[in-house]
Amino acid sequence: MQLLERPSAPAGLALPDCQPPVLLLLPAGEGRDLDARAKNECYRATFRLPRDERLDGHTSCTLWTPFNKLHIPGQMFISNNYICFASKEEDACHLIIPLREVTIVEKADSSSVLPSPLSISTKSKMTFLFANLKDRDFLVQRISDFLQKTPSKQPGGRKASVADPAPESLLASQEVPELPTSPSSPLSGYQNFSAQEVPTASQGLLKVFQRNSPMEDLGAKGAKEKMKEESWNIHFFEYGRGMCMYRTAKTRELVLKGIPESLRGELWLLFSGAWNEMVTHPGYYAELVEKSMGKYSLATEEIERDLHRSMPEHPAFQNELGIAALRRVLTAYAFRNPTIGYCQAMNIVTSVLLLYGSEEEAFWLLVALCERMLPDYYDTRVVGALVDQGIFEELTRDVLPRLSEKMQDLGVISSISLSWFLTLFLSVMPFESAVVIVDCFFYEGIKVILQVALAVLDANMEQLLGCSDEGEAMTVLGRYLDNVINKQSVSPPIPHLHALLTSGDDPPAEVDIFDLLKVSYEKFSNLRADDIEQMRFKQRLKVIQSLEDTAKRSVVRAIPGDIGFSIEELEDLYMVFKAKHLASQYWGSSHTAAVRRDPSLPYLEQYRIDAGQFQELFASLTPWACGSHTPVLAGRMFRLLDQNKDSLINFKEFVTGMSGMYHGDLTEKLKALYKLHLPPALSPEEAESALEATHYFTEDSSSEASPLASDLDLFLPWETQEVQSQEEREGSGNEDVQEKRGEEKGTSPPDYRHYLRMWAKEKEAQKETIKDLPKMNQEQFIELCKTLYNMFSEDPMEQDLYHAIATVASLLLRIGEVGKKFSTRTGRKPRDGAHSGDHNSTTEEDELPAPEPHQDPIRELQPPAAGDPQAKAGGDTHLGKAPQESQMVVEGGSGEGQLLSDDETKDDISMSSYSVVSTGSLQCEDLADDTVLVGGEARSPTATSRTGGTVDTDWCISFEQILASILTESVLVNFFEKKVDIGLKIKDQKKVERQFSTSSDHEQSGVLG
């Protein structure tokens, strides 16, 4: 149940006054869902809770605070694992009660002074008294429900109880703890990473390398450190220790004065919320270490490269003990979160975490940093750091207007903010000073980093205003930060490498880190956490848009200049292409592209679409609309573009296919169309369909048929050889494809060298000419003719185009027959190897189905009679007539007679073909469903076996012959040279996408309702 989703609940109140809510999602849940998500994120950020925590509800109440004997008004928040409280006054009191530590929830007696009280007792012997609760009974029931679902981590551990009003029940706390209540408690059997293996499994590196000198020997610094420890001990006594500590303005004061080194690790775990995740996931880190041990990836390679650059000046990282601990933590996190993997600056931050905590504690602190406190900082595009950089620029304009314009002119903001924010000042400030800022960061969040950054700029304003370039400004800021010191540090001084590089003859005055923090709070403390979150949301939109624009420009620049489209057209095509990819993630049922997307790939490879998505784009954008035949053509285009056979194509491959249809001269467009009817574009299934159609082209219906199995046996070896010969002709052009396949099969991802080689090969001049194109066999030629007929179906010049293609097809079929006869006579080996080269024409003719004995070839050239059943069965197309007529001529007469007959009857054939089309007996729908040409459904199995067919394995035709024939028909030339504006088609596609997304939203709302 999510109380926030109740439509009747007031904006500031989620718990009802009467009836408990029921599980109901209304159609208007889109906006309410976003509102609930925003409240969940704010709740988790405020109390530093795990990412999977969901807010169930909140209500106003008061909390009794024993340290000042007051009832503080505020809000109680309840989620599935926590009860939290936030006072109305920001610094008055914050409280986090994990349900795993709750022992008793009791409804105390009401009174006029204390109406509707509720007491909650924990294992640490702390009792919290809430009052002024609305609908206390329902609230207690919700808490009871969540307590029942809270897992017991220890066998036999007792569940918390919910008691009725009774004074003695407040003392009935459980004596057997289920989990440690604070980082200071003895972990005993809880520690999973064995201390016997390595010292860093149970303690921080500082304790391992700490000198055994007593605190008294450190003089004033030692005394100051002991005073800090005593102050914190007093605070623990008054406010509690562990996760259930009352967090007040007093807590912040102690943090600003500096956390003693003996307590730093414990308090970092509490303030960051890392302790919650660590205690609820026992053994998780040890398991990750074991799984990731010995595994190689790009992240591990980068980690190894940076290990010895992580605080090399510190003694803890000048030996293998510290390096090995750092390696294990970084590798375990990369294994946990492969989306981030490893990013530079993570090594610096993690090395500091290891100084003050064990490996497991450092790991969970790193999780809190990367996934909650600094979201999206440590990824390949450092989006989170860029977002906070935008906030920093906005704050600079508001509070330091004089300096803001100068900093923008110098371009300094972007340089300083990334280095300061990513490493929390650890890389630009002496370690003992920067670690104090880290103390404040774990308590306050990003707010303190922004405040300190503004204070640094304010302290150097006059010098920065006098700088003439970025280098001078960076030197001013670098020297200032190098001289920020911590006079209270009890650790031996560590040389700061950055200071050694930026030191000058006249170093600036030293600045105490505590003075800098004090100034930052005095001048810029008006920053509120919720305001920063709102600013983050606004800046994130700008950063994402900027990154997407950069990606778009990068992809467009990667497209070769001879592709034909303008920059504007390429950008529009990219947006349409990307939208189709994203639609598959959010609305599509097939998630192939989404699953395979890898953000670490170059921009060009990040967005890819599958065959179904390409088919939709092809239908919207192609200038070659073919009606119901369009999906078939789209499938062939996709197979042609998908060179690496991974069933996905990228944007470059997509625009290459589009350009082949839109740009270039007649020859280039015909080449593109020609390739769509050869393997690999033409699939075996489609060729098999064309094979059936050749029955009408290669024999008379009364001929004796060979079985279909023998047809396939002849066709499939030919296709295999055709694919192999095509790959041999392409030669080196396929080396990058093979290399990519090899990379995909390997365990390691392709590195930048692979892409450099790939791009270098892509830039090589393409030397393919029309002579390099393989010849087309009869089945493929039939498919080409079908495509052309469908392509002309909706053209204004439809009848003229039909007449022209009928003439061209008839001519080409006769040319193929002549070529076959010539090839047989000269003894050249057929393409498919079905017949040996020494067979003469007589032998070959014997192998082909024989015509009827008294058939007249010349008579076959005439149009069929109206009542001829053969014409009705399958010969009513000019395509079905011309090949049949050519076959008869070849088989029934000599070569000279054949040529003479062709010439004499050419006009009759053309007229016959034209008259058939013009009378409307041939429709595109017939061709599209293969009823006329294939006859798969129009004929019974008996008829099929009776008619049969034979593959004409010697018939072939070249691209030059097709081109020369088409050039004889001006209407065909005009059709292919006609210019089509792709911009209009892109606009129409964008409209379709908007309508689709809108309708999808309504459908989702309807389902939710």
Side-chain angles (χ1 to χ4, degrees):
M1 180 193 65
Q2 293 292 323
L3 299 184
L4 291 173
E5 292 171 351
R6 283 199 73 219
S8 60
L13 180 66
L15 289 173
D17 293 330
C18 48
Q19 297 288 333
V22 294
L23 183 60
L24 179 64
L25 292 173
L26 298 181
E30 288 284 326
R32 301 198 63 81
D33 182 59
L34 291 175
D35 181 57
R37 186 183 305 174
K39 288 184 177 181
N40 274 317
E41 291 178 358
C42 182
Y43 170 65
R44 290 191 295 264
T46 301
F47 299 103
R48 308 280 167 78
L49 300 178
R51 289 189 303 173
D52 57 354
E53 198 65 20
R54 297 290 181 268
L55 179 63
D56 190 73
H58 60 97
T59 185
S60 59
C61 66
T62 59
L63 172 65
W64 170 254
T65 50
F67 50 86
N68 58 4
K69 308 295 190 293
L70 293 175
H71 290 281
I72 299 179
Q75 290 274 327
M76 175 191 283
F77 300 85
I78 300 176
S79 58
N80 45 333
N81 293 296
Y82 297 89
I83 299 172
C84 301
F85 175 84
S87 60
K88 287 186 177 180
E89 188 179 346
E90 185 178 8
D91 295 333
C93 182
H94 270 215
L95 181 64
I96 302 170
I97 308 174
L99 291 182
R100 64 178 182 269
E101 297 188 16
V102 172
T103 56
I104 295 177
V105 178
E106 180 186 32
K107 294 182 288 186
D109 290 327
S110 295
S111 65
S112 57
V113 179
L114 203 62
S116 302
L118 177 68
S119 70
I120 299 176
S121 302
T122 67
K123 292 184 252 181
S124 57
K125 305 298 188 295
M126 296 183 70
T127 300
F128 305 95
L129 184 61
F130 298 91
N132 293 286
L133 289 162
K134 297 180 180 179
D135 198 5
R136 180 181 62 169
D137 292 340
F138 175 68
L139 178 64
V140 170
Q141 183 59 48
R142 294 302 297 149
I143 296 175
S144 176
D145 292 342
F146 286 130
L147 282 172
Q148 293 300 318
K149 297 175 184 178
T150 303
S152 176
K153 297 292 181 181
Q154 200 169 29
R158 294 164 52 198
K159 289 283 185 181
S161 61
V162 180
D164 289 324
E168 63 274 9
S169 64
L170 289 175
L171 303 176
S173 301
Q174 297 182 29
E175 298 296 331
V176 181
E178 297 177 6
L179 291 172
T181 57
S182 78
S184 61
S185 354
L187 298 183
S188 60
Y190 171 73
Q191 190 71 36
N192 292 281
F193 198 63
S194 175
Q196 297 178 356
E197 296 178 7
V198 286
T200 51
S202 59
Q203 56 186 338
L205 285 169
L206 269 188
K207 292 183 179 178
V208 177
F209 290 92
Q210 193 175 35
R211 295 175 182 174
N212 295 322
S213 54
M215 198 67 72
E216 290 77 9
D217 296 346
L218 297 175
K221 288 184 178 181
K224 184 72 173 178
E225 187 75 2
K226 286 197 69 71
M227 287 177 61
K228 288 182 183 179
E229 291 178 359
E230 188 61 30
S231 298
W232 275 101
N233 287 330
I234 294 172
H235 185 274
F236 292 148
F237 179 78
E238 293 182 358
Y239 297 86
R241 186 169 189 168
M243 189 55 65
C244 298
M245 174 198 311
Y246 292 98
R247 306 175 192 209
T248 66
K250 178 67 174 176
T251 312
R252 173 186 290 171
E253 290 177 13
L254 288 177
V255 171
L256 289 176
K257 290 178 180 178
I259 298 176
E261 292 197 350
S262 60
L263 296 174
R264 186 162 273 144
E266 172 188 344
L267 293 176
W268 283 1
L269 285 169
L270 291 177
F271 295 151
S272 67
W275 175 253
N276 285 322
E277 294 185 279
M278 177 176 163
V279 78
T280 54
H281 295 84
Y284 179 77
Y285 172 70
E287 182 181 350
L288 277 182
V289 170
E290 183 178 352
K291 286 183 179 180
S292 61
M293 199 75 70
K295 298 290 179 64
Y296 173 80
S297 66
L298 185 60
T300 58
E301 182 181 341
E302 294 175 347
I303 289 170
E304 290 297 327
R305 183 188 62 206
D306 286 350
L307 282 177
H308 295 278
R309 306 177 188 175
S310 309
M311 297 187 67
E313 66 275 13
H314 198 285
F317 297 98
Q318 293 172 358
N319 61 84
E320 186 55 30
L321 179 62
I323 294 296
L326 182 59
R327 177 188 293 113
R328 284 190 292 270
V329 173
L330 290 175
T331 305
Y333 185 79
F335 198 78
R336 163 190 167 88
N337 191 345
T339 303
I340 292 178
Y342 171 77
C343 177
Q344 282 188 337
M346 287 174 66
N347 59 320
I348 297 175
V349 175
T350 308
S351 60
V352 175
L353 301 179
L354 278 168
L355 291 175
Y356 296 99
S358 67
E359 287 185 34
E360 186 174 16
E361 292 168 349
F363 170 80
W364 286 111
L365 284 168
L366 183 62
V367 169
L369 273 175
C370 296
E371 299 176 10
R372 291 188 285 105
M373 301 189 71
L374 296 176
D376 299 326
Y377 259 59
Y378 302 102
D379 60 16
T380 53
R381 300 194 292 177
V382 292
V383 174
L386 293 174
V387 168
D388 287 345
Q389 173 185 304
I391 296 176
F392 183 50
E393 291 178 358
E394 187 175 340
L395 292 173
T396 305
R397 285 194 299 270
D398 293 342
V399 300
L400 300 173
R402 284 183 59 207
L403 189 58
S404 174
E405 186 175 351
K406 181 70 174 181
M407 297 292 282
Q408 290 293 335
D409 293 340
L410 297 177
V412 175
I413 292 288
S414 59
S415 300
I416 62 175
S417 56
L418 286 180
S419 61
W420 294 1
F421 296 169
L422 278 171
T423 64
L424 305 177
F425 287 95
L426 288 166
S427 63
V428 295
M429 195 179 285
F431 166 73
E432 57 271 11
S433 302
V435 77
V436 177
I437 296 180
V438 177
D439 292 341
C440 300
F441 167 76
F442 278 122
Y443 187 80
E444 294 274 25
I446 192 62
K447 167 186 173 180
V448 72
I449 303 296
L450 294 170
Q451 287 180 183
V452 171
L454 290 171
V456 171
L457 293 185
D458 183 54
N460 294 274
M461 182 181 296
E462 298 304 325
Q463 288 180 277
L464 290 172
L465 290 173
C467 292
S468 57
D469 56 37
E470 180 185 1
E472 186 178 356
M474 293 298 293
T475 301
V476 168
L477 293 172
R479 295 183 66 192
Y480 176 86
L481 291 171
D482 291 337
N483 287 275
V484 176
I485 62 171
N486 181 3
K487 298 178 181 178
Q488 301 177 14
S489 175
V490 294
S491 299
I494 301 171
H496 187 222
L497 296 182
H498 191 269
L500 298 176
L501 296 174
T502 58
S503 60
D505 298 332
D506 186 20
E510 292 181 342
V511 179
D512 189 271
I513 181 62
F514 295 103
D515 293 338
L516 179 61
L517 281 171
K518 182 179 179 182
V519 170
S520 72
Y521 273 88
E522 288 175 351
K523 289 190 174 183
F524 310 111
S525 60
N526 57 341
L527 283 177
R528 292 173 54 90
D530 52 351
D531 293 338
I532 291 175
E533 289 303 318
Q534 291 181 6
M535 295 171 72
R536 272 181 165 175
F537 178 75
K538 182 175 68 174
Q539 289 294 331
R540 181 176 292 274
L541 297 178
K542 293 181 180 179
V543 169
I544 295 297
Q545 184 60 52
S546 174
L547 291 173
E548 290 301 323
D549 290 343
T550 301
K552 180 171 65 176
R553 288 192 295 269
S554 299
V555 170
V556 169
R557 281 198 300 267
I559 305 300
D562 59 353
I563 208 70
F565 292 113
S566 66
I567 298 296
E568 292 76 15
E569 289 173 336
L570 285 173
E571 290 181 348
D572 288 341
L573 282 172
Y574 175 78
M575 296 308 295
V576 169
F577 183 88
K578 176 184 166 187
K580 184 61 65 176
H581 167 89
L582 295 177
S584 71
Q585 290 183 296
Y586 295 104
W587 293 291
S589 58
S590 172
H591 298 279
T592 305
V595 170
R596 297 195 186 187
R597 186 194 173 199
D598 185 356
S600 65
L601 291 173
Y603 290 129
L604 187 61
E605 296 289 334
Q606 286 189 14
Y607 296 111
R608 297 185 290 174
I609 58 175
D610 59 23
Q613 296 161 332
F614 176 80
Q615 181 177 312
E616 295 172 4
L617 286 180
F618 183 89
S620 302
L621 301 177
T622 180
W624 296 344
C626 300
S628 59
H629 193 64
T630 302
V632 177
L633 200 63
R636 294 174 186 166
M637 177 70 81
F638 184 86
R639 288 190 290 272
L640 184 65
L641 297 175
D642 183 22
Q643 295 183 3
N644 63 354
K645 308 303 178 190
D646 66 347
S647 300
L648 295 170
I649 62 170
N650 61 27
F651 179 68
K652 182 177 180 181
E653 294 165 335
F654 171 73
V655 295
T656 300
M658 289 290 111
S659 177
M661 296 183 289
Y662 274 96
H663 301 291
D665 54 14
L666 171 68
T667 303
E668 294 300 318
K669 291 180 180 178
L670 287 177
K671 277 175 61 178
L673 190 61
Y674 185 84
K675 289 179 180 179
L676 292 180
H677 297 82
L678 295 174
L682 189 72
S683 66
E685 294 79 10
E686 293 173 325
E688 188 176 326
S689 173
L691 174 67
E692 298 177 26
T694 61
H695 299 166
Y696 298 103
F697 288 78
T698 57
E699 62 179 67
D700 184 49
S701 60
S702 61
S703 305
E704 205 171 340
S706 61
L708 184 61
S710 63
D711 297 342
L712 290 175
D713 290 339
L714 289 172
F715 173 72
L716 292 176
W718 179 91
E719 185 206 35
T720 305
Q721 293 185 10
E722 183 68 19
V723 174
Q724 292 174 349
S725 63
Q726 185 176 355
E727 290 179 353
E728 290 171 1
R729 278 189 297 273
E730 291 176 356
S732 60
N734 277 349
E735 290 176 5
D736 56 335
V737 177
Q738 295 169 359
E739 182 178 10
K740 188 171 182 180
R741 290 177 185 168
E743 290 285 356
E744 290 175 350
K745 292 178 181 178
T747 55
S748 60
D751 60 2
Y752 67 93
R753 291 168 294 185
H754 162 75
Y755 295 107
L756 289 177
R757 289 194 296 269
M758 185 173 67
W759 293 331
K761 289 179 181 178
E762 288 173 352
K763 291 184 178 180
E764 292 177 0
Q766 300 294 326
K767 299 179 181 180
E768 182 189 58
T769 65
I770 59 176
K771 293 184 180 296
D772 297 326
L773 294 172
K775 290 187 177 183
M776 180 177 280
N777 70 3
Q778 198 173 70
E779 295 91 338
Q780 296 159 355
F781 177 70
I782 292 168
E783 286 293 332
L784 175 62
C785 291
K786 287 170 62 178
T787 299
L788 289 170
Y789 269 90
N790 283 280
M791 194 182 297
F792 301 153
S793 63
E794 298 178 5
D795 194 273
M797 301 292 292
E798 178 180 359
Q799 296 300 323
D800 294 338
L801 288 166
Y802 281 159
H803 179 235
I805 196 59
T807 304
V808 169
S810 300
L811 175 61
L812 288 171
L813 284 164
R814 292 197 300 274
I815 290 174
E817 295 296 342
V818 173
K820 181 182 72 171
K821 197 73 175 178
F822 177 76
S823 171
T824 305
R825 286 184 173 183
T826 56
R828 187 168 57 186
K829 185 177 180 180
R831 288 169 56 85
D832 66 342
H835 307 290
S836 60
D838 57 354
H839 282 190
N840 54 30
S841 58
T842 305
T843 305
E844 186 173 339
E845 288 170 5
D846 291 341
E847 293 179 359
L848 295 173
E852 287 189 18
H854 302 290
Q855 207 163 15
D856 184 0
I858 301 300
R859 190 172 135 220
E860 291 298 318
L861 300 178
Q862 304 305 322
D868 188 350
Q870 178 183 340
K872 291 182 180 179
D876 61 340
T877 74
H878 63 279
L879 285 178
K881 195 69 189 167
Q884 181 178 339
E885 145 226 325
S886 301
Q887 181 78 11
M888 292 304 109
V889 173
V890 172
E891 296 174 354
S894 64
E896 292 81 358
Q898 172 205 353
L899 293 175
L900 179 61
S901 299
D902 288 343
D903 293 337
E904 287 177 350
T905 58
K906 178 178 179 181
D907 293 335
D908 292 337
I909 296 168
S910 300
M911 182 57 66
S912 171
S913 303
Y914 179 72
S915 62
V916 172
V917 174
S918 61
T919 56
S921 62
L922 174 64
Q923 299 296 333
C924 294
E925 292 79 5
D926 300 331
L927 285 166
D929 60 17
D930 292 349
T931 301
V932 174
L933 289 177
V934 177
E937 296 177 358
R939 292 154 47 179
S940 66
T942 307
T944 301
S945 62
R946 208 170 42 243
T947 303
T950 302
V951 177
D952 198 342
T953 56
D954 298 321
W955 193 100
C956 63
I957 200 163
S958 67
F959 175 75
E960 298 100 307
Q961 292 167 330
I962 293 177
L963 175 62
S965 302
I966 288 180
L967 286 173
T968 63
E969 298 289 341
S970 60
V971 65
L972 293 176
V973 174
N974 293 336
F975 176 84
F976 283 103
E977 289 187 343
K978 180 174 56 178
K979 300 293 183 183
V980 182
D981 184 11
I982 195 174
L984 297 177
K985 292 183 176 291
I986 293 175
K987 289 181 181 178
D988 292 340
Q989 173 63 17
K990 289 182 177 179
K991 290 179 183 177
V992 171
E993 289 170 0
R994 284 195 293 270
Q995 293 170 357
F996 172 75
S997 61
T998 303
S999 63
S1000 297
D1001 289 342
H1002 288 311
E1003 288 174 8
Q1004 287 184 345
S1005 299
V1007 171
L1008 292 174

